């Protein structure tokens, strides 16, 4: 630019030849020419222009080099309304002015471009101490201002998209972004699905999500500002804009998928809970319906034994019936136990007892099947005290012994062995029977799983015994495992109960005044009202009561029962809870209102024997709750 200044024909400008320039002008031009900072000097009334090499890039294409020696108004007509008043203010005010990041759009590169500047206007005084010119020291800040503006626009977009819950919300947020940044975006179109795959508007720039390896079915079309060059920074801004929208749409898709999954999960849970409730109700109903016919069978069998004693010709037949009835009762109990454990309604009743007593009870429960198949039982039981639920452990061991007996050919060997390791009890039941197939072994404790499922169902059972074993052992904090070398090679079941061995304690001494345990009185002559809509069950129970020495009166419906009680109130009333028309609870209330009814002892009789059934009976004023089929000992205790 020094060469250009020296070579320029200044004679035809208001400044005249360089030789005639005043010292103040020469000094100012010298400063401009030797500065590395972009500088621009306006001089005289016409504001003739002189600038340095550092300023040349600011012109772009179109004004340089014609701007050298040109009047300011002639060179910058597009911005003179902006800078003209600023220059006049410096010339007349004789003070410098500072402008930061100001938009001064200029004509360059063949168009009006939005350009931002930080610059000072400084007065330059001549020899008469008048403002002879104005010196401009400037820096173009367009890149910085645009970067900040675009970053702010992306922040606003992200905040708006954060609250979007649908694709329509996203489209609205994208449209609103135009008003956030009108300098960069004149219009934005959100294209989803088929629209994104179609040909976009020709007069707009389209950025596809697939190009960014994001949303394949999304594109954004931008109508760009004609006052900005489409450089790398501008394109990067558009790609970041598109990526932000893609991220939101992906979030919405994930949220929808999650919501659908949660809804499906809730539906499945609801269906599962409903199925579980229906299953529990079905099992309870099944237990009730099975116990109803069992009740008269058991009672009739007990009557046969009471009347004939041990000399009956049908002793063998009675034993067969007794075994099969016991088996049916056991199946019903197992079904209900599975239901109660699955619903968390079983609570352990722990106490400290001799382990031998518990295992002897288990052997007693399994002995009919062991004896029937003429197995040899070997027992190794230590003399230790154990803390847990003795009834449930006896049930567990009895199940294992019964299984061993059932799946071992006649005349086989079954071993019950116990080992004590510190505070841990380990109980093993081993047999030399059919064994377990390798493919079945991992599932042997699953519900309804059985080995050797043959059409004749010769082994019997429902496949729930081992599931009960596992659940009850786990409730004690223990574990159970099964081992077999294969089919025909026997099996071993091992129960491990940690921290359950109790410290030995001396048995309490019997007091001198303690009386021996008394059995319930036989034949007390009590008047007992029996009410059951099952005529066989009612009659057989009445006959059993008569054989035991009581005076029974039998009714088959509530109306008949009220009539019998009104004629003369009985001492005890055994009421079937599931009576038609008027249930046992309502009948109990009616009987209480009759003369003498306040002293009537009530005993509930039902095929439902879960804890909530017994609790409801107690709350209704019943002294006892008997579950069909009736146990004679429990009946006599209830009547005592």
């Amino acid at each position: 630019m020094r060469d250009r200044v020296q070579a320029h024909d200044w004679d035809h400008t208001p400044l005249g030849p360089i030789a005639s320039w005043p010292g103040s002008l020469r000094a100012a031009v010298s400063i401009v020419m030797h500065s590395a900072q972009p500088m621009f000097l306006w001089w005289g009334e016409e504001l003739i222009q002189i600038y340095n090499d550092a300023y040349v890039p600011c012109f772009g294409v179109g004004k340089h080099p014609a701007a050298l020696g040109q009047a300011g108004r002639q060179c910058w007509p597009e911005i003179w309304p902006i800078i003209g008043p600023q220059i006049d203010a410096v010339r007349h005010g004789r003070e410098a002015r500072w402008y930061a990041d100001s938009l001064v759009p200029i004509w360059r590169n063949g168009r009006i471009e939005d350009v931002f500047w930080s610059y000072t206007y400084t007065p330059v005084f001549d020899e008469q101490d008048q403002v002879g010119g104005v010196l401009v020291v400037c820096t173009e800040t367009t890149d910085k201002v645009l970067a900040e503006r675009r970053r702010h626009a992306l922040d606003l977009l992200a905040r708006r998209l954060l609250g979007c819950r649908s694709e329509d919300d996203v489209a609205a947020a994208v449209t609103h972004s135009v008003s956030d940044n009108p300098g960069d975006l004149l219009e934005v179109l959100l294209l989803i699905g088929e629209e994104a795959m179609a040909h976009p508007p020709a007069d707009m720039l389209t950025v596809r999500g697939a190009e960014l390896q994001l949303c394949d079915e999304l594109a954004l079309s931008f109508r760009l500002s004609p006052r900005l060059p489409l450089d790398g920074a501008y394109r990067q801004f558009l790609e970041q804009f598109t990526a932000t929208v893609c991220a939101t749409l992906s979030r919405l898709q994930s949220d929808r998928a999650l919501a659908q999954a949660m809804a499906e999960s809730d539906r499945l849970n609801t269906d599962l809970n409903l199925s579980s409730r229906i299953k529990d109700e079905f099992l309870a109903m099944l237990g009730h319906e099975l116990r109803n016919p069992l009740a008269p069978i058991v009672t009739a069998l007990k009557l046969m034994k009471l009347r004939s004693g041990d000399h009956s010709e049908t002793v063998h037949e009675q034993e067969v019936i007794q075994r099969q009835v016991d088996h049916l009762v056991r199946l019903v109990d197992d079904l209900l136990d599975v239901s109660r454990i699955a619903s968390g309604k079983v609570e352990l009743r722990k106490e400290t007892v001799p382990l031998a007593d518990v295992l002897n009870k288990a052997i007693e429960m399994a002995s009919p099947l062991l004896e029937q198949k003429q197995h040899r039982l070997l027992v190794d039981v230590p003399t230790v005290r154990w803390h847990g639920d003795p009834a449930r452990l006896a049930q567990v061991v009895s199940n294992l012994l019964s299984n061993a007996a059932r799946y071992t050919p006649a005349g086989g060997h079954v071993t019950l062995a116990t080992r004590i390791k510190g505070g841990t009890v380990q109980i093993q039941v081993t047999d030399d029977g059919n064994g377990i197939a390798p493919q079945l072994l991992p599932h042997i404790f699953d519900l309804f799983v059985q080995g050797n499922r043959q059409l004749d169902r010769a082994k019997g059972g429902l496949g729930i015994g081992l599931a009960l074993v596992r659940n009850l052992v786990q409730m004690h904090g223990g574990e159970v495992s099964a081992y077999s070398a294969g089919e025909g090679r026997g099996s071993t079941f091992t129960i491990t109960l940690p921290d359950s061995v109790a410290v030995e304690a001396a048995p309490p001494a019997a007091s001198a005044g303690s009386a021996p345990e008394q059995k319930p009185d036989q034949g007390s002559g009590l008047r007992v009202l029996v009410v059951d809509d099952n005529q066989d069950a009612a009659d057989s129970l009445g006959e059993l009561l008569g054989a035991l020495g009581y005076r029974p009166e039998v009714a088959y419906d509530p109306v008949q029962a009220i009539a019998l009680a009104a004629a003369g109130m009985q001492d005890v009333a055994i009421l079937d809870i599931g009576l038609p028309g008027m249930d046992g609870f309502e009948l109990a209330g009616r009987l209480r209102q009759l003369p003498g009814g306040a002293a009537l002892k009530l005993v509930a009789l039902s095929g439902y024997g879960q804890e909530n059934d017994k609790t409801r009976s107690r709350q209704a004023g019943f002294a006892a709750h008997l579950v069909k089929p009736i146990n004679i000992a429990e009946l006599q205790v209830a009547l005592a």
Side-chain angles (χ1 to χ4, degrees):
M1 284 305 300
R2 288 196 300 271
D3 293 340
R4 286 184 179 275
V5 169
Q6 291 175 353
H8 190 72
D9 182 10
W10 295 103
D11 294 347
H12 296 86
T13 69
L15 298 185
I18 293 178
S20 64
W21 287 1
S24 55
L25 175 56
R26 286 175 174 269
V29 172
S30 177
I31 291 173
V32 170
M33 291 299 106
H34 290 88
S35 175
Q37 174 72 25
M39 287 188 178
F40 201 101
L41 178 65
W42 282 301
W43 193 265
E45 291 297 328
E46 299 291 329
L47 296 178
I48 303 302
Q49 303 178 148
I50 301 173
Y51 49 91
N52 63 5
D53 287 306
Y55 189 85
V56 171
C58 300
F59 282 114
V61 177
K63 291 185 182 293
H64 173 75
L68 182 63
Q70 195 174 26
R73 184 186 294 273
Q74 180 183 0
C75 180
W76 304 104
E78 73 274 19
I79 60 172
W80 202 252
I82 299 174
I83 66 173
Q86 295 174 348
I87 295 170
D88 288 342
V90 173
R91 294 178 67 195
H92 298 112
R94 299 170 62 89
E95 291 182 355
R97 297 293 180 92
W98 162 256
Y99 303 92
D101 298 329
S102 294
L103 174 61
V104 184
I106 63 175
W107 179 271
R108 68 180 182 186
N109 303 322
R111 64 180 172 206
I112 293 292
E113 285 191 12
D114 284 346
V115 185
F116 293 85
W117 310 85
S118 289
Y119 54 96
T120 59
Y121 284 167
T122 304
V124 180
F125 295 91
D126 59 15
E127 282 72 12
Q128 287 76 39
D129 197 29
Q130 298 299 314
V131 177
V134 176
L135 176 65
V136 183
V137 178
C138 61
T139 300
E140 183 178 346
T141 59
T142 303
D143 290 345
K144 183 192 78 168
V145 172
L146 292 183
E148 292 176 354
R149 184 172 78 186
R150 290 163 179 170
R151 183 166 53 250
H152 181 62
L154 290 173
D155 288 343
L156 291 177
L157 175 66
R159 293 177 190 175
R160 285 199 174 92
L161 291 175
L162 192 61
C164 291
R165 295 294 178 266
S166 68
E167 292 177 354
D168 290 340
D169 292 344
V170 174
V174 169
T175 300
H176 203 288
S177 64
V178 174
S179 61
D180 292 335
N181 187 4
D184 288 296
L185 304 173
L186 301 184
E187 183 182 3
V188 183
L189 298 179
L190 176 62
L191 308 176
I192 300 177
E194 295 182 358
E195 290 183 345
M197 308 304 293
H199 294 292
D203 57 343
M204 301 179 74
L205 176 68
T206 299
V207 180
R208 301 182 185 277
E211 297 172 4
L212 307 177
Q213 297 182 344
L214 296 173
C215 307
D216 292 338
E217 298 183 356
L218 176 137
L220 288 176
S221 290
F222 301 92
R223 193 176 304 281
L224 306 181
S225 170
R227 300 163 69 102
L228 293 174
L230 183 56
D231 55 12
Y234 203 170
R235 181 174 289 276
Q236 183 181 28
F237 164 65
L238 302 178
E239 291 177 351
Q240 290 175 334
F241 193 102
T242 304
T244 304
V245 175
C246 279
T248 300
L249 290 176
S250 296
R251 172 178 62 81
L252 292 178
Q253 291 175 357
S254 298
D255 290 347
R256 280 197 296 268
L258 179 60
Q260 291 173 356
M262 293 180 66
E264 180 66 12
S265 177
D266 290 343
R267 186 188 66 79
L268 291 175
N269 283 334
T270 300
D271 291 347
L272 182 61
N273 291 334
L274 177 61
S275 298
S276 179
R277 181 173 61 81
I278 292 174
K279 177 206 67 178
D280 291 342
E281 293 175 354
F282 167 75
L283 290 176
M285 180 64 70
L286 178 63
H288 178 269
E289 295 302 319
L290 289 175
R291 280 173 169 159
N292 272 334
L294 278 174
I297 296 174
V298 171
T299 305
L301 180 61
K302 289 172 181 175
L303 277 172
M304 292 171 63
K305 290 182 178 181
L306 285 173
R307 291 171 178 169
S308 61
D310 296 333
H311 305 293
S312 171
E313 295 179 354
T314 62
V315 169
H316 175 69
E317 289 78 4
Q318 291 177 22
E319 290 176 350
V320 171
I321 296 173
Q322 185 68 59
R323 282 196 300 270
Q324 298 308 314
V325 167
D326 290 344
H327 184 58
L328 281 174
V329 171
R330 182 67 173 275
L331 290 178
V332 172
D333 290 341
D334 281 353
L335 277 173
L336 295 177
D337 275 342
V338 167
S339 174
R340 286 194 290 262
I341 291 174
S343 58
K345 295 179 181 178
V346 169
E347 294 184 2
L348 299 180
R349 300 178 181 179
K350 293 187 176 183
E351 55 182 302
T352 302
V353 296
L355 182 60
D357 290 354
V358 179
L359 299 184
N360 286 336
K361 177 64 176 177
I363 294 171
E364 178 184 343
M365 294 165 66
S367 60
L369 188 56
L370 290 166
E371 293 172 0
Q372 177 189 350
K373 301 195 71 174
Q374 299 178 344
H375 292 316
R376 182 181 179 186
L377 176 63
L378 303 177
V379 180
D380 177 14
V381 179
T383 55
V384 297
R385 295 177 67 79
W386 175 79
H387 184 72
D389 188 326
R392 291 301 183 181
L393 182 59
Q395 181 182 1
V396 165
V397 178
S398 171
N399 267 338
L400 295 181
L401 289 173
S402 297
N403 270 359
R406 186 178 294 115
Y407 288 96
T408 299
H413 298 79
V414 179
T415 301
L416 172 61
T418 306
R419 294 180 177 83
I420 307 299
K421 297 180 180 179
T424 299
V425 174
Q426 191 177 77
I427 302 172
Q428 280 190 338
V429 175
T430 304
D431 63 69
D432 55 1
N434 297 345
I436 305 170
Q439 64 271 20
L440 180 63
L441 196 57
H443 309 286
I444 197 67
F445 293 102
D446 293 345
L447 194 60
F448 304 126
V449 170
Q450 285 182 290
N452 297 328
R453 297 182 180 220
Q454 299 178 11
L455 293 178
D456 61 5
R457 303 274 307 162
K459 303 296 189 296
L462 298 174
I464 61 178
L466 290 180
L468 270 176
V469 167
R470 179 180 61 183
N471 289 333
L472 291 173
V473 170
Q474 288 177 346
M475 290 179 67
H476 279 86
E479 58 183 19
V480 59
S481 60
Y483 168 77
S484 176
E487 292 183 282
R489 304 181 67 179
S491 58
T492 298
F493 288 83
T494 303
I495 301 168
T496 303
L497 302 169
D499 302 323
S500 58
V501 176
V503 178
E504 287 287 354
S511 60
S514 61
E517 182 181 353
Q518 299 292 329
K519 294 184 179 180
D521 291 338
Q522 298 282 331
S524 59
L526 289 175
R527 294 178 60 212
V528 181
L529 174 62
V530 176
V531 186
D532 195 330
D533 60 311
N534 185 323
Q535 187 170 346
D536 287 339
D539 290 342
S540 60
L541 179 55
E543 291 183 29
L544 176 61
L545 290 170
L548 293 174
Y550 299 97
R551 292 184 292 161
E553 298 178 52
V554 177
Y556 307 126
D557 59 67
V559 175
Q560 185 183 5
I562 293 173
L564 288 175
M569 183 60 64
Q570 294 80 10
D571 300 301
V572 182
I574 301 177
L575 308 181
D576 181 17
I577 297 300
L579 293 171
M582 180 190 303
D583 64 25
F585 297 118
E586 185 178 353
L587 176 58
R590 296 286 187 91
L591 294 177
R592 289 286 195 196
Q593 295 172 1
L594 295 175
L600 179 66
K601 183 176 183 178
L602 297 172
V603 176
L605 179 63
S606 176
Y608 298 104
Q610 299 193 32
E611 190 59 37
N612 59 319
D613 300 313
K614 296 178 181 179
T615 300
R616 186 181 178 191
S617 296
R618 286 195 299 271
Q619 293 173 346
F622 285 84
H625 183 106
L626 300 178
V627 180
K628 300 177 181 179
I630 295 177
N631 179 285
I632 290 182
E634 292 178 356
L635 174 64
Q636 291 178 293
V637 169
L639 295 176

